[in-house]
Amino acid sequence: MGVFAAEPIAAGEKVWRFDESMHVCGPGELGGLSPDRLAFALHGGYFHAPEQKFVWYEDGMEYVNHADPPSANIGIRHWTPLREDNCTALRDIEPGEELLEDYEFWSIFNLPVDHWARMLCRDFCRHHYDFLLQLHYARNRRRSIA
């Protein structure tokens, strides 16, 4: 499964932007979800560091897969205010090309080990936590070799 471009997308174009259908949660609201709903939110959402909120959505973005640079073609490169948050094309994308996001910028592994968002992911969405952990270790290994 994945998300694919239906038309050409120019480098720098916004492919996703915050809208009012998204859920913005602190630890209390997120932790109050049922275990299945919480796992869904944690798998498809991200922690917006400047606002200290977890953002999740039900618009299909949970199907966007990961790639490391240079294969990644979409991503977040700097934080904006939450209501202006977006993900942009990192290069020109052709119709039919899969959208592949570089997850490193917003990874929960940029947070302290005891941060509530990281702990919720570890405890309620273990498969995604382990996946992000593998990405984190692989990227750090590549950096230490370089």
Side-chain angles (χ1 to χ4, degrees):
M1 281 195 229
V3 176
F4 299 83
E7 56 192 50
I9 304 170
E13 188 174 332
K14 293 176 180 159
V15 295
W16 168 91
R17 67 185 66 178
F18 183 89
D19 68 43
E20 296 305 320
S21 71
M22 296 173 184
H23 305 278
V24 178
C25 302
E29 301 99 342
L30 201 58
L33 297 174
S34 71
D36 287 346
R37 193 109 168 111
L38 178 56
F40 176 85
L42 293 167
H43 182 260
Y46 68 98
F47 185 74
H48 187 273
E51 306 260 345
Q52 293 292 299
K53 297 289 185 179
F54 196 86
V55 180
W56 62 284
Y57 25 81
E58 301 175 84
D59 64 357
M61 284 301 290
E62 69 271 16
Y63 296 112
V64 172
N65 290 311
H66 163 80
D68 284 329
S71 297
N73 54 16
I74 65 172
I76 300 171
R77 292 293 180 245
H78 64 277
W79 289 117
T80 59
L82 182 58
R83 303 286 179 211
E84 298 170 20
D85 213 14
N86 66 83
C87 182
T88 59
L90 301 175
R91 60 171 174 74
D92 290 342
I93 301 170
E94 298 298 320
E97 190 175 346
E98 184 174 8
L99 301 182
L100 299 168
E101 185 173 2
D102 179 4
Y103 292 172
E104 181 181 28
F105 182 80
W106 53 259
S107 173
I108 58 171
F109 290 96
N110 295 329
L111 301 172
V113 168
D114 62 348
H115 190 279
W116 62 266
R118 189 169 169 174
M119 291 173 22
L120 280 174
C121 190
R122 182 197 63 214
D123 295 345
F124 293 95
C125 193
R126 190 61 194 218
H127 66 285
H128 191 57
Y129 182 90
D130 290 343
F131 170 74
L132 293 173
L133 183 61
Q134 287 175 343
L135 293 178
H136 176 75
Y137 285 143
R139 186 157 289 179
N140 284 340
R141 268 195 306 275
R142 285 193 301 276
R143 284 185 182 143
S144 67
I145 293 171

